[in-house]
């Protein structure tokens, strides 16, 4: 049987995220959106309480906790869908796992708060390690590489080894090239085109291109439209070996990745 990649639906419980900022800051709306994404085909819901868009300021752990914990509990109570906590902070990860999350998604790739690896390990949670440089406030000026694919790959390999030393099982580690984080549009495109080199590290790979600035620049789409540019990026990512796509529009992206895989494999995929 041919397995399909997982679709991770994005839920930003923030006032300022770059694509959906403010839309799901209200707790009731956030919960409804999570359930709607699950019904629309999301296999995982990624819940975050801190925007990481370029230039975003750090949010306190307390504020993050107030934004996400009640939402995680409510979604767990109403739907049987794995929840991922999008945070750089070990205290937030720990509380989110206690509230029912099963995956820790660290966009700092263990650089911001390395204790987050031990938190994931103790809970037996999966851990997403993403490549970035600096912080959301500083990352734009750090987008300089001689060989972006090689440097991102080396970073992910080193951080995965750190996670394993902290006790995270190899089978629970997921790597992410960090599309849009300390990267220019050309860097993002080079990473998407060379994803098999990241996948060759032997870990599942997650790709989050959804609605990022370079997609909109290239596709010419407005923020209000369904992003077909994102769907194309998701399709290319799974053809390059990605196991998970992180997207704001799960149904459209599920259709795109399923169709892309069916063509690449020459047969109808089984769920
Ligand atoms: N991108 C964003 C946030 N979290 N996590 C992973 N693993 N990979 C990504 O590419 C990724 C991520 C940024 O997107 P978004 O959540 O839409 O915006 P914001 O950070 O402003 O909330």
């Amino acid at each position: 049987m041919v397995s399909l990649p997982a679709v991770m639906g994005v839920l930003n419980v923030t006032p300022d995220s770059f694509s959906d900022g403010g839309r799901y800051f209200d707790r009731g709306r956030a919960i409804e959106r999570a359930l709607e994404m699950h019904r629309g085909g999301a296999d995982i819901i990624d819940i975050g309480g801190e925007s990481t868009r370029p230039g975003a300021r750090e949010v306190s752990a307390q504020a993050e906790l107030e934004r996400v914990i009640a939402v995680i509990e409510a979604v767990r109570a109403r739907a049987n869908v794995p929840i991922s906590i999008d945070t750089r902070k070990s205290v937030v990860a720990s509380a989110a796992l206690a509230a029912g999350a099963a995956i820790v998604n660290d966009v700092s790739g263990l650089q911001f708060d390395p204790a987050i690896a031990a938190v994931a390990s103790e809970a037996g949670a999966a851990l997403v390690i993403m490549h970035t440089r600096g912080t959301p406030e500083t990352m734009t000026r750090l987008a300089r590489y001689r060989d972006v694919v090689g440097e991102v790959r080396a970073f992910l390999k080193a951080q995965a080894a750190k996670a394993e030393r902290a006790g995270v099982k190899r089978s629970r580690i997921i790597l992410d090239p960090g599309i849009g984080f300390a990267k220019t549009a050309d860097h993002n495109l080079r990473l998407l085109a060379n994803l098999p080199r990241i996948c060759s590290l032997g870990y599942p790979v997650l790709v989050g291109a959804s609605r990022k600035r370079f997609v909109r620049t290239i596709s010419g789409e407005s923020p209000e439209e369904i992003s077909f540019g994102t769907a194309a990026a998701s399709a290319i990512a799974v053809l390059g070996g990605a196991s998970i796509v992180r997207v704001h529009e799960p149904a459209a992206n599920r259709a795109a990745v399923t169709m892309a895989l069916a063509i690449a494999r020459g047969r109808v995929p089984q769920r």
Side-chain angles (χ1 to χ4, degrees):
M1 193 161 90
V2 183
S3 66
L4 283 169
V7 173
M8 174 186 261
V10 178
L11 182 66
N12 291 313
V13 192
T14 57
D16 57 345
S17 288
F18 72 83
S19 131
D20 56 358
R23 275 170 76 180
Y24 309 113
F25 194 44
D26 172 80
R27 192 170 290 167
R29 271 207 224 149
I31 295 163
E32 199 34 59
R33 177 64 186 152
L35 300 175
E36 183 184 52
M37 285 196 290
H38 179 45
R39 286 193 297 270
D43 304 293
I44 305 165
I45 307 292
D46 187 43
I47 301 181
E50 179 185 52
S51 173
T52 49
R53 74 182 193 288
R57 291 263 173 88
E58 190 183 330
V59 166
S60 73
Q62 192 52 39
E64 264 189 78
L65 289 167
E66 280 163 20
R67 292 174 183 182
V68 300
I69 298 301
V71 176
I72 293 171
E73 287 170 347
V75 176
R76 282 299 295 150
R78 289 180 214 184
N80 187 19
V81 60
I83 292 173
S84 152
I85 174 67
D86 187 342
T87 188
R88 302 179 286 164
K89 302 185 184 79
S90 57
V91 288
V92 177
S94 179
L97 294 170
I103 303 167
V104 175
N105 175 20
D106 177 12
V107 298
S108 86
L110 312 182
Q111 298 176 98
F112 184 80
D113 180 358
I116 204 164
V119 165
S121 153
E122 274 154 35
L127 174 65
V128 179
I129 298 174
M130 196 195 80
H131 174 272
T132 189
R133 281 181 174 172
T135 63
E137 264 183 285
T138 64
M139 65 187 180
T140 305
R141 61 176 181 266
L142 302 173
R144 290 190 187 172
Y145 304 85
R146 289 179 57 187
D147 164 16
V148 68
V149 181
E151 287 169 58
V152 167
R153 187 181 190 279
F155 171 88
L156 293 174
K157 187 177 177 187
Q159 299 308 89
K162 274 188 205 159
E164 286 182 49
R165 284 199 294 277
V168 183
K169 289 212 180 83
R170 191 184 164 90
S171 62
R172 297 203 184 271
I173 295 174
I174 299 159
L175 302 182
D176 181 340
I179 300 298
F181 286 80
K183 318 272 184 330
T184 62
D186 285 351
H187 294 141
N188 294 327
L189 296 172
R190 226 167 293 151
L191 283 163
L192 285 168
N194 290 281
L195 214 56
R197 276 182 65 199
I198 307 291
C199 296
S200 73
L201 288 168
Y203 300 86
V205 167
L206 184 156
V207 169
S210 188
R211 296 189 157 274
K212 289 187 176 165
R213 189 178 305 158
F214 80 106
V215 174
R216 269 197 269 146
T217 307
I218 294 167
S219 66
E221 292 163 336
S222 79
E224 294 77 39
E225 294 171 79
I226 288 187
S227 178
F228 294 105
T230 296
S234 293
I236 294 293
V238 302
L239 294 185
S243 301
I244 307 174
V245 289
R246 179 184 181 279
V247 295
H248 299 84
E249 293 147 327
N253 283 274
R254 167 159 306 290
V257 302
T258 305
M259 195 63 211
L261 277 182
I263 294 167
R265 291 167 174 168
R267 60 188 169 121
V268 178
Q270 308 290 313
R271 288 232 62 195

